[in-house]
Amino acid sequence: MYDIAKIRADFPILSRSVNGKPLTYLDNGASAQKPQAVIDAISQAYSHEYSNVHRGLHYLSNLMTEQYEGVRGTIARFLGAGSENEIVLNSGTTEGINMVAYGWAMPRLQPGDEIVLSVMEHHANIVPWHFLRERQGVILKWVDVDASGALDPQAVIDAIGPRTRLVAVTHCSNVLGTVVDVKAITKGAHAKGVPVLVDGSQAAVHMPVNVVDIGCDFYAITGHKLYGPSGSGAIYIKSDRMAEMRPFLGGGDMIREVSKDTVTYNDPPMKFEAGTPGIVQTIGLGVALDYMTDIGMENIAAHEASVRDYANARLSGLNWLKVQGSTADKAAIFSFTLNGAAHAHDISTILDKKGVAVRAGHHCAGPLMDFLGVTATCRASFGMYNTKDEVDVLIDALELAHDLFA
Ligand code: PLP
């Protein structure tokens, strides 16, 4: 049984109030709250165990190294990777995708080569490719979604031409909640000899992920959305692709030997991890993933699906509100505008007065906002601890906002 009361009790922040009202935290798409187990692990590490990793021979350094390196295996299991050597630890998705852009794509792509993207990518999966466009004449090819927000895998595959060198798509839209069939896209792209990068920032939070089953070459995740600390994350890189990659950052830890004239590198994945990492953040991420795994990703997905269906039913009863994205299997992420009424920022300010935390703005998805013909939306994004009662709180607050602006 999904023990929602226990899960909620595990997250201390959920029992606080905001503006005199119980907190209704619906900004999980931006960043999720942390369970006590993660908070305790961070406190324990800094209070009793902290030291730098890898380079020390003393007790604490070995202890931290063991814990830190253990997370590589935790992430590999969480993502279904074949080997923990295919996991590069980093600060989050933004770093992971930049690493691929600089380390894999930049040395290989020529002017006129193409990267295929969907129109609903987050800026983290757009701007690194713009760098390549600006600096080396790479062409970005965009694939639209349909009116429901669905991305047709065949449309992505059809966009792949003889000059396409990479497909970079999200597994789940942070704005529409659309879940993308990245397995079908990967199969079609590979049939044309083109690697696939998947931005898993949102998907890995809401559903079981298996990178071997998907077959993709790169899969990026970010710890703070996975109920772990900010500044933690990882990217899965298939070993063949990792062998083709140049290191992106240079510094300590990623080298074997350095002299005045030469440098040799550590074995992958360490070759791609320069400098002192986010040690405690990564340890916290490991605890967060264990926490989710203990509850079960299928159970989390089923709970969120029931909250999503309830939210869908309630929101569709508001004829003055337009929700963007209506695919049946979407994640519980709802971006909406109030017809002819106030700016999303004003709506979110009113919701905040009722203790309801949502996000308002472009959600780092400029091309999608242009495609939808809006400048901003409000976004309510649900996580494993949200309830149908909280949907009701959201609806009441929205009705208040509507009354104020009508
Ligand atoms: N990709 C998607 C789909 C996201 O939602 C986000 C965060 O909002 C990111 C990438 C960037 O993640 P981070 O800022 O943690 O690197």
Side-chain angles (χ1 to χ4, degrees):
M1 188 194 83
Y2 198 78
D3 191 345
I4 187 70
K6 171 163 185 331
I7 291 170
R8 288 184 68 79
D10 286 340
F11 289 79
I13 202 168
L14 296 181
S15 54
R16 69 161 289 168
S17 54
V18 166
N19 290 325
K21 307 281 184 233
L23 170 64
T24 301
Y25 188 77
L26 303 179
D27 196 18
N28 298 283
S31 204
Q33 300 298 347
K34 320 304 171 199
Q36 190 65 49
V38 169
I39 298 166
D40 288 347
I42 293 168
S43 172
Q44 167 73 11
Y46 279 130
S47 306
H48 304 290
E49 297 165 344
Y50 183 74
S51 175
N52 208 335
V53 287
H54 296 144
R55 292 179 287 270
L57 294 174
H58 58 84
Y59 176 84
L60 287 181
S61 180
N62 289 334
L63 183 64
M64 276 284 92
T65 303
E66 213 170 280
Q67 290 188 33
Y68 175 80
E69 281 299 325
V71 179
R72 209 183 288 281
T74 305
I75 295 171
R77 286 189 293 281
F78 187 77
L79 294 179
S83 160
E84 63 182 53
N85 289 332
E86 294 179 312
I87 303 296
V88 176
L89 301 171
N90 59 26
S91 63
T93 293
T94 301
E95 185 182 338
I97 297 178
N98 275 276
M99 172 181 290
V100 177
Y102 282 93
W104 184 84
M106 202 174 254
R108 317 171 75 75
L109 270 59
Q110 305 297 322
D113 284 347
E114 299 160 356
I115 297 175
V116 169
L117 303 164
S118 92
V119 75
M120 65 182 163
E121 299 311 313
H122 185 281
H123 293 166
N125 196 24
I126 297 175
V127 182
W129 312 122
H130 268 309
F131 288 170
L132 269 66
R133 180 188 60 74
E134 286 176 343
R135 295 171 196 181
Q136 39 197 100
V138 165
I139 294 166
L140 308 188
K141 276 178 102 172
W142 298 92
V143 182
D144 286 344
V145 292
D146 69 14
S148 72
L151 181 66
D152 177 5
Q154 194 55 47
V156 178
I157 296 160
D158 289 346
I160 298 172
R163 296 295 304 268
T164 303
R165 299 287 174 256
L166 181 71
V167 172
V169 282
T170 190
H171 196 176
C172 172
S173 163
N174 64 311
V175 178
L176 306 174
T178 304
V179 177
V180 174
D181 188 348
V182 286
K183 183 174 175 176
I185 290 173
T186 303
K187 194 165 173 238
H190 282 183
K192 293 183 167 186
V194 175
V196 177
L197 176 142
V198 179
D199 175 352
S201 306
Q202 297 288 341
V205 183
H206 299 295
M207 66 191 78
V209 169
N210 187 302
V211 290
V212 171
D213 182 53
I214 294 169
C216 60
D217 300 82
F218 308 95
Y219 194 98
I221 58 169
T222 202
H224 66 99
K225 296 185 204 289
L226 288 156
Y227 308 97
S230 56
S232 67
I235 183 162
Y236 158 82
I237 305 178
K238 205 185 252 179
S239 53
D240 301 355
R241 296 287 91 70
M242 216 187 264
E244 295 167 353
M245 261 174 73
R246 277 195 205 159
F248 155 51
L249 288 174
D253 247 22
M254 50 79 74
I255 49 84
R256 182 161 292 137
E257 279 174 22
V258 182
S259 72
K260 282 183 179 162
D261 301 319
T262 59
V263 55
T264 54
Y265 301 114
N266 216 327
D267 292 331
M270 301 281 288
K271 180 179 175 181
F272 304 103
E273 297 174 5
T276 300
I279 302 165
V280 178
Q281 293 93 317
T282 300
I283 290 170
L285 172 58
V287 174
L289 298 184
D290 284 343
Y291 179 84
M292 294 175 84
T293 304
D294 284 351
I295 293 170
M297 288 309 296
E298 281 88 1
N299 298 330
I300 291 172
H303 169 75
E304 290 184 4
S306 77
V307 175
R308 172 203 63 205
D309 292 346
Y310 184 69
N312 246 334
R314 295 258 13 224
L315 287 165
S316 62
L318 308 178
N319 62 10
W320 35 266
L321 181 137
K322 174 165 176 49
V323 175
Q324 304 284 357
S326 57
T327 53
D329 64 346
K330 68 185 250 170
I333 299 173
F334 297 90
S335 288
F336 51 82
T337 46
L338 265 60
N339 293 348
H343 192 274
H345 289 163
D346 297 324
I347 306 297
S348 85
T349 304
I350 295 187
L351 299 188
D352 186 50
K353 296 271 178 284
K354 294 289 172 192
V356 180
V358 298
R359 188 141 295 244
H362 55 54
H363 313 294
C364 297
L368 180 62
M369 293 290 119
D370 291 345
F371 178 81
L372 297 173
V374 295
T375 51
T377 68
C378 272
R379 180 186 68 185
S381 50
F382 293 77
M384 69 158 103
Y385 37 61
N386 290 121
T387 63
K388 291 178 185 168
D389 288 348
E390 291 182 303
V391 174
D392 292 337
V393 175
L394 169 69
I395 300 289
D396 288 349
L398 282 171
E399 277 171 342
L400 174 75
H402 176 246
D403 290 347
L404 283 173
F405 288 113

